[in-house]
């Protein structure tokens, strides 16, 4: 019987019935089937302008370039968040290239754990790549939305 994400991952923040877990790079394969649909939903979204596919994301998770965070409730994955730490010339950034889930009110409070993780890793800022709907979700938080990203296909 396959292990659940909760059995594989390290639980960080139990709260209100939901549990936030991280998955070690060498155990991604154990939880991949339980998270792949959510990851695919954000990668395959028509407005996603990144040039990565599922295989690319999987490889970066296994290589440790990306980190996988899972929110579970009743042993079911309700959200995923993928992070990466990037050293830029003048600052260290914790990026959120992908985030997806259902019933965000159950797990959005876990953003605080991500902020603590970024600070503990010496990051100066966090940045996320969010669809428009996230502006409503994160309104009133510490997040500042100061850029709009556009793309013109040639």
């Amino acid at each position: 019987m396959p292990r659940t994400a909760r059995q594989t991952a390290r639980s960080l923040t139990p709260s209100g019935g939901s549990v936030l877990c991280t998955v070690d790079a060498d155990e991604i394969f154990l939880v991949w089937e339980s998270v792949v649909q959510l990851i695919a939903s954000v990668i395959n979204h028509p407005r996603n302008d990144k040039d990565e596919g599922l295989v690319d994301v999987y490889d970066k998770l296994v290589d440790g370039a990306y980190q996988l965070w899972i929110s579970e409730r009743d042993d079911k994955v309700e959200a995923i968040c993928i992070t990466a730490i990037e050293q830029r010339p003048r600052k260290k950034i914790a990026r959120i290239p992908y985030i997806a889930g259902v019933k965000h009110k159950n797990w959005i409070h876990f953003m605080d754990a991500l902020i603590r993780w970024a600070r503990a890793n010496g990051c100066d800022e966090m940045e996320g790549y969010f669809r428009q709907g996230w502006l409503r979700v994160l309104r009133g938080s510490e997040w500042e939305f100061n850029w709009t990203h556009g793309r013109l296909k040639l």
Side-chain angles (χ1 to χ4, degrees):
M1 175 157 73
R3 290 166 50 180
T4 67
R6 183 174 291 162
Q7 292 168 322
T8 301
R10 290 174 287 133
S11 174
L12 296 179
T13 316
S15 175
S18 295
V19 177
L20 180 66
C21 307
T22 61
V23 181
D24 291 331
D26 61 349
E27 294 190 330
I28 294 295
F29 74 97
L30 294 171
V31 299
W32 186 248
E33 283 187 36
S34 64
V35 299
V36 69
Q37 285 186 327
L38 277 174
I39 296 172
S41 73
V42 69
I43 287 175
N44 297 328
H45 190 277
R47 294 207 174 132
N48 177 20
D49 62 359
K50 295 177 195 72
D51 296 323
E52 293 182 312
L54 280 173
V55 172
D56 304 310
V57 171
Y58 181 87
D59 288 345
K60 287 181 179 181
L61 288 166
V62 169
D63 292 343
Y66 281 172
Q67 300 79 40
L68 176 62
W69 303 76
I70 299 171
S71 175
E72 284 191 328
R73 187 183 207 53
D74 301 324
D75 287 326
K76 293 181 182 162
V77 174
E78 62 184 354
I80 60 92
C81 181
I82 295 176
T83 57
I85 294 179
E86 182 179 308
Q87 182 63 56
R88 295 188 183 161
R90 295 190 178 118
K91 55 187 152 184
K92 192 173 184 180
I93 304 291
R95 294 186 312 114
I96 302 174
Y98 302 106
I99 188 168
V102 295
K103 298 181 182 176
H104 73 273
K105 291 181 181 181
N106 289 345
W107 49 266
I108 195 63
H109 61 280
F110 289 138
M111 192 66 77
D112 292 337
L114 296 177
I115 292 167
R116 287 192 304 274
W117 167 82
R119 286 182 178 138
N121 280 282
C123 294
D124 302 298
E125 292 181 2
M126 285 190 86
E127 80 179 14
Y129 300 95
F130 305 117
R131 294 192 326 258
Q132 288 294 116
W134 280 99
L135 299 176
R136 287 187 306 275
V137 172
L138 295 173
R139 184 177 295 135
S141 70
E142 297 176 59
W143 284 90
E144 294 178 21
F145 294 93
N146 51 8
W147 289 94
T148 301
H149 182 252
R151 176 177 259 186
L152 174 65
K153 291 188 180 189
L154 304 175

